[in-house]
Amino acid sequence: MLVVRSLTRQRGRSAWAALVPVVALAAGLLFATSSQTAQGGDLRAGETTELSVLIAQREQVLAQQQQQLAALRARAQQLTDQAATRNGDVAAAQADGDSGLLSAGLVALRGPGVEITLDDAPRRPDRALPAGARPDDVVIHQSDVQAVVNAVWAAGADGVAIMDQRLIATSAVRCVGNVLLLQGRTYSPPFVVTAIGDAAAIRAHLAASPQVAVFEQAVEDYGLGFAVRERPAVSVPAYDGPLGLQHATAVGE
């Protein structure tokens, strides 16, 4: 029995001795591959950098496509205008379409109104949060922007824009963290809502909104920025995004 155990140990040692060079070679290849891939840098940091670069590239492509879209629309309008001079049916259809441009938000507007600014709470020198606050408490959220926009619409505003984007009936306000996503573009705070309309009515609806009241409580507690400024004249651009609906739901009475 002792002889058998001795032989078994010897065979095990021989097998292990044969495997050691193989394992060492595989490990060496793995380290070399990782070093070549990273090229002296942090692989995880590289992924983060690539993501930020990808976002910037996609925004650049979007900007180019929007320029192309604007040029095509201008060309289509030119051809339509030419056809309308020769065809009465085209002229009538064009007149019907033009009558709805204003209500659809496809015409730039200028008039008296307000500028409403929403901003994150300023950073303290020691970067500490206010007493009892969480990181989410000191940044602007989608619900804050949406509450302000809803109150402005309820006040009967003739035109509304966030940053440089005109809002229409199908516009959606979305945020990821404290970054605003609006019609394919990203914006960082402060967020500026521009509205053409009766300033007194807009202030009254902001004061009456329960959702805005929740936001104003956070403004008081955590130092978020919220300012409503009346302007004798503000401008909102024409909407230049896609007009087709992607999703729709029928609601019964």
Side-chain angles (χ1 to χ4, degrees):
M1 183 67 68
L2 292 174
V3 175
V4 173
R5 286 182 178 177
S6 177
L7 289 174
T8 302
R9 285 197 297 269
Q10 290 176 359
R11 290 173 182 171
R13 289 171 184 171
S14 299
W16 175 245
L19 285 175
V20 167
V22 177
V23 173
L25 177 61
L29 289 174
L30 179 61
F31 293 147
T33 303
S34 298
S35 175
Q36 184 176 4
T37 303
Q39 295 182 345
D42 186 343
L43 287 175
R44 287 181 294 177
E47 292 175 358
T48 303
T49 302
E50 290 174 4
L51 180 59
S52 64
V53 171
L54 179 60
I55 293 174
Q57 290 174 344
R58 294 303 302 170
E59 289 187 338
Q60 184 177 5
V61 170
L62 176 63
Q64 294 173 348
Q65 291 175 340
Q66 288 178 330
Q67 291 178 355
Q68 294 173 354
L69 176 62
L72 290 172
R73 283 179 171 172
R75 179 57 176 164
Q77 184 62 48
Q78 180 183 14
L79 294 174
T80 302
D81 292 341
Q82 293 175 358
T85 62
R86 301 187 299 268
N87 188 307
D89 292 337
V90 174
Q94 185 181 35
D96 290 340
D98 290 345
S99 65
L101 293 178
L102 181 62
S103 58
L106 303 181
V107 177
L109 293 178
R110 182 172 177 81
V114 298
E115 286 182 351
I116 305 170
T117 304
L118 301 88
D119 199 3
D120 294 346
R123 291 280 186 175
R124 296 185 175 187
D126 60 358
R127 305 188 71 82
L129 295 173
R134 301 166 302 173
D136 279 350
D137 294 328
V138 296
V139 298
I140 298 298
H141 291 284
Q142 173 179 320
S143 57
D144 305 325
V145 181
Q146 190 66 66
V148 169
V149 170
N150 288 345
V152 168
W153 280 128
D158 296 320
V160 182
I162 301 179
M163 309 304 277
D164 58 352
Q165 294 291 320
R166 178 74 172 271
L167 301 185
I168 62 173
T170 56
S171 298
V173 178
R174 297 187 180 91
C175 288
V176 176
N178 67 334
V179 176
L180 178 67
L181 305 178
L182 188 61
Q183 293 161 193
R185 297 181 182 177
T186 58
Y187 300 90
S188 297
F191 303 130
V192 179
V193 179
T194 304
I196 296 177
D198 186 310
I202 292 174
R203 285 187 178 276
H205 278 78
L206 288 171
S209 167
Q211 292 77 22
V212 174
V214 172
F215 171 53
E216 289 183 316
Q217 186 62 55
V219 170
E220 181 178 347
D221 292 342
Y222 307 120
L224 295 166
F226 183 47
V228 181
R229 300 178 178 88
E230 297 184 19
R231 303 296 190 197
V234 294
S235 300
V236 295
Y239 176 79
D240 61 357
L243 295 174
L245 283 174
Q246 294 182 343
H247 306 283
T249 302
V251 179
E253 297 183 355

